């Protein structure tokens, strides 16, 4: 038979599964294992992938066959078989040749059955017509691409039309899948269903603030699963859409804002399967009434999904309101999640950030605006525990810290499990952290003069995790500093010393200052910001002034060695940007530092 331009109307009756009309697979599965038939997204960057592996392919691969389509009249089923997803359309059209929609046709179940059969019939008919229209547009777009010939402008416009039509089909399928999943979440505990809730003087904290429903990104939990006991979720499908009531930043795929799709950029499956602006990062916003509560300690819990900075070349940054929180970024950049799967992460805010919570609103923003890395990620839910009373599920983290240069245990290392629990290594380099909240635990060892080491491991309730933290002595040459600056954009220097309570440089600072000088001399266009940091000893105003004067002293030393002043700027941050808790001498030593970073 001949395939007229309106034949997609017949095709649609048999392609309900491609557009969301059939039930989802019984268990969570990676996209490559799905039995659904759906047209893949066509991207200039290359083919879709169904996991987190990166891939590259020629742009518009497979569309050379479109040149063979008739440019006038109708296309035959055999004509379109060689096109991307054309065979599926042709097969479905043949299967649908003798089918027609009637009130006696089996219903497509999406959630609870409506009480009005006529309304159900009307809804089903409207959806069928919408599906027909979407597939008709796909066919028309494909023929327009064939008709464009070799004209580059016409081909570009036609290709955009093809991509848009495919996205419309895919988004309809995803929306139907989201509706089905939402209908299956009725058995969640009542508190987990809430997209926003607060609880005063509960078993977990004086004040608990929850943003986002606790529903595993809308996929639900296996029977008996508790997301707080340290276990990882099963692998789930992607892409997926948020429900209408999901708060910003939850239950949605986000891709770092620094990603532009440039040549050589890594891309994960989340990036391939989503587009701007829908995947732009969104902040998590907590709003609550803290009246009558003295804020002493605050824990932040994030149910994180698919963070993999090391693999994708991203470098996450974190902000609490407008204050950058470097310690949170250290934790996030240590994660290497694949699957994708979700895990609970518990972090404790440093005391310097508590004022941000006391006004009853906290905006948490997590993103990488600096690197062209296609790193997609998601949050199922987030919770603030103000003055936590303890954690129901905990375990123990123990281990040893070693100096990789000397090959020996390293004493005096500050070991922190995301600031929730801290300890220093003893003379044999050993440490033990008890009552660490279960979940994905990032344990970081830090000591001035060494590159910190972070290990991210699952900690199940009641179990013990054994770790080895390997701290590498920092290089003293300019090339190693230049490489670190290029990779991380900023570096904390601990080899610059000042007289007590003064901005006078000590002679033992010479080696580190020469290291910075060498970086500037080797790269004449380079511009740097020199920032001073202090610990919390002394008043805020005093520390602010001291940090400003010390940063200016470093700039003066560099300009005195011939570096142009316009290539340097200085700032003082006082005690406002800690990297460790000031409660211990080891923490205060880490906070007293000079930061060098690339100028914007």
């Amino acid at each position: 038979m001949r395939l007229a331009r309106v034949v997609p109307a017949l095709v649609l009756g048999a392609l309900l599964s491609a557009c969301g009309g059939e039930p989802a697979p019984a268990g969570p599965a990676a996209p490559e294992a799905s039995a659904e038939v759906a047209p893949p997204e066509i991207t200039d960057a290359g083919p879709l992938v169904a996991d987190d592996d990166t891939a590259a392919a020629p742009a518009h691969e497979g569309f050379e066959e479109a040149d063979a389509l008739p440019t006038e009249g109708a296309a035959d089923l055999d004509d379109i078989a060689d096109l991307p997803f054309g065979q599926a359309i042709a097969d479905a059209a043949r299967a649908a040749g003798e089918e027609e929609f009637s009130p006696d046709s089996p219903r497509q179940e999406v959630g609870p059955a409506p009480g009005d059969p006529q309304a159900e019939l009307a809804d089903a008919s409207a959806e069928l017509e919408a599906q027909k229209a979407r597939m008709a547009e796909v066919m028309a777009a494909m023929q327009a691409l064939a008709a464009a010939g070799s004209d580059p402008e016409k081909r570009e416009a036609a290709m955009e039309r093809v991509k848009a039509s495919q996205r419309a089909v895919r988004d309809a399928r995803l929306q139907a899948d989201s509706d089905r999943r939402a209908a299956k979440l009725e058995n969640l505990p009542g508190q987990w269903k809430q997209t926003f809730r607060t609880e005063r003087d509960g078993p977990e904290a004086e004040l608990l603030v929850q943003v986002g429903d606790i529903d595993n990104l809308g996929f639900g939990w296996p029977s008996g699963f508790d997301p707080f006991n340290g276990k990882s979720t099963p692998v789930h499908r992607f892409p997926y859409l948020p429900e209408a009531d999901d708060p910003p930043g939850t239950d949605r795929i986000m891709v770092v804002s620094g990603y532009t799709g440039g040549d050589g950029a890594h891309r994960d499956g989340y990036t391939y399967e989503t587009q701007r602006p829908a995947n732009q990062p969104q902040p998590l916003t907590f709003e609550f009434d803290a009246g009558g509560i003295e804020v002493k300690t605050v824990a932040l819990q994030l149910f994180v999904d698919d963070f993999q900075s090391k693999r994708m070349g991203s470098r996450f940054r974190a902000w609490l309101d407008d204050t950058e929180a470097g310690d949170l970024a250290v934790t996030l950049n240590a994660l290497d999640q694949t699957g994708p799967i979700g895990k609970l992460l518990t972090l404790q805010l440093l005391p310097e950030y508590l004022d941000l919570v006391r006004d009853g609103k906290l905006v948490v923003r997590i993103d990488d605006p600096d690197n062209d890395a296609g790193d997609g990620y998601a949050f199922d839910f987030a919770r603030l525990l103000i003055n936590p009373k303890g954690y129901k599920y905990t375990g123990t983290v123990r281990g040893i810290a070693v100096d990789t240069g000397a090959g020996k245990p390293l004493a005096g290392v500050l070991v922190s499990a995301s600031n929730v629990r801290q300890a220093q290594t003893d003379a044999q380099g050993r440490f033990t952290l008890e009552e660490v909240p279960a979940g994905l635990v990032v344990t970081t060892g830090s000591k001035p003069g060494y590159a910190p080491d972070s290990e991210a491991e699952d900690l199940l309730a009641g179990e013990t995790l054994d770790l080895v933290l390997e701290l590498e002595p920092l290089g003293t040459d300019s090339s190693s500093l230049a490489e670190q600056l290029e990779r991380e954009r900023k570096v904390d220097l601990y080899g610059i010393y000042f007289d007590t309570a003064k901005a006078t440089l000590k002679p033992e600072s010479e080696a580190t200052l020469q290291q910075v000088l060498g970086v500037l001399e080797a790269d004449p266009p380079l511009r740097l910001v020199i920032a001073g940091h202090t610990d919390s000893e002394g008043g805020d105003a005093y520390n602010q002034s001291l940090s400003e004067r010390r940063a200016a002293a470093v700039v003066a030393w560099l300009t005195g060695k011939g570096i142009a002043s316009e290539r340097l700027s200085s700032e003082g941050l006082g005690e406002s940007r800690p990297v460790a808790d000031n409660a211990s001498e080891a923490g205060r030593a880490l906070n007293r530092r000079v930061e060098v970073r690339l100028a914007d």
Side-chain angles (χ1 to χ4, degrees), residues 58 75 87 196 229 277 338 367 426 457 474 494 583:
Q87 186 63 55
F196 179 84
N229 69 4
T338 57
D367 186 18
D426 61 18
E457 297 288 346
L474 291 174
Y494 291 98

Side-chain angles (χ1 to χ4, degrees), residues 164-476:
S165 66
Q166 287 185 305
R167 283 195 292 268
V169 171
R170 186 203 63 174
D171 289 350
R173 173 175 58 85
L174 292 177
Q175 187 59 61
D177 179 62
S178 177
D179 293 342
R180 281 193 301 270
R181 290 188 283 111
K184 295 178 181 179
L185 297 175
E186 292 304 314
N187 61 340
L188 287 176
Q191 292 181 340
W192 291 10
K193 292 180 185 179
Q194 299 179 47
T195 56
F196 179 84
R197 78 178 182 96
T198 60
E199 180 182 62
R200 273 181 173 263
D201 201 23
E204 297 182 78
E206 280 194 58
L207 179 63
L208 183 151
V209 188
Q210 173 186 316
V211 173
D213 47 10
I214 303 175
D215 65 353
N216 190 24
L217 302 172
F219 291 96
W221 308 103
S223 179
F225 188 92
D226 188 332
F228 296 95
N229 69 4
K231 293 183 179 180
S232 299
T233 66
V235 174
H236 61 75
R237 298 189 305 274
F238 67 91
Y240 50 86
L241 296 179
E243 298 171 53
D245 62 346
D246 285 323
T250 67
D251 281 14
R252 69 198 68 230
I253 294 173
M254 298 179 285
V255 175
V256 300
S257 64
Y259 174 67
T260 61
D263 293 340
H266 294 295
R267 292 176 288 272
D268 65 6
Y270 275 8
T271 305
Y272 275 117
E273 294 271 12
T274 58
Q275 296 84 34
R276 303 289 194 213
N279 63 11
Q280 283 283 6
Q282 298 179 357
L284 299 162
T285 301
F286 299 89
E287 294 187 85
F288 49 91
D289 179 8
I293 296 177
E294 182 183 357
V295 179
K296 301 176 182 177
T297 307
V298 177
L300 172 65
Q301 290 188 320
L302 302 170
F303 204 84
V304 295
D305 179 85
D306 213 44
F307 278 80
Q308 43 185 342
S309 175
K310 294 179 180 179
R311 188 185 302 260
M312 300 308 301
S314 59
R315 195 78 185 169
F316 284 97
R317 298 166 65 184
W319 292 263
L320 302 174
D321 291 344
D322 294 325
T323 301
E324 189 160 4
D327 57 308
L328 269 66
V330 168
T331 296
L332 294 168
N333 287 316
L335 305 184
D336 188 14
Q337 296 178 277
T338 57
I341 55 178
K343 299 180 180 182
L344 181 68
L345 191 65
T346 301
L347 313 97
Q348 185 163 303
L349 304 191
L350 293 174
E352 287 74 13
Y353 301 138
L354 296 185
D355 279 344
L356 303 175
V357 178
R358 293 185 173 111
D359 65 354
K361 182 176 181 179
L362 181 68
V363 178
V364 179
R365 185 162 61 94
I366 294 168
D367 186 18
D368 176 5
D370 304 312
N371 296 292
D372 187 7
D375 193 356
Y377 60 102
F379 301 105
D380 179 40
F381 65 88
R383 304 200 312 168
L384 274 185
L385 303 178
I386 298 177
N387 299 338
K389 298 179 179 180
Y391 299 92
K392 180 178 180 181
Y393 299 110
T394 64
T396 299
V397 179
R398 66 188 182 191
I400 186 172
V402 297
D403 180 333
T404 59
K408 296 179 180 179
L410 187 59
V413 175
L414 181 63
V415 179
S416 171
S418 300
N419 297 325
V420 180
R421 299 288 183 263
Q422 297 186 73
Q424 273 188 266
T425 57
D426 61 18
Q428 288 75 43
R430 296 173 302 191
F431 65 89
T432 299
L433 305 175
E434 297 180 336
E435 296 186 349
V436 177
L440 181 55
V441 176
V442 177
T443 306
T444 302
S446 305
K447 185 173 183 177
Y450 292 83
D453 183 34
S454 296
E455 296 294 331
E457 297 288 346
D458 289 340
L459 177 64
L460 301 183
E463 296 193 357
T464 296
L465 189 61
D466 291 302
L467 299 175
V468 176
L469 298 176
E470 299 178 328
L471 279 71
E472 182 178 354
L474 291 174
T476 58

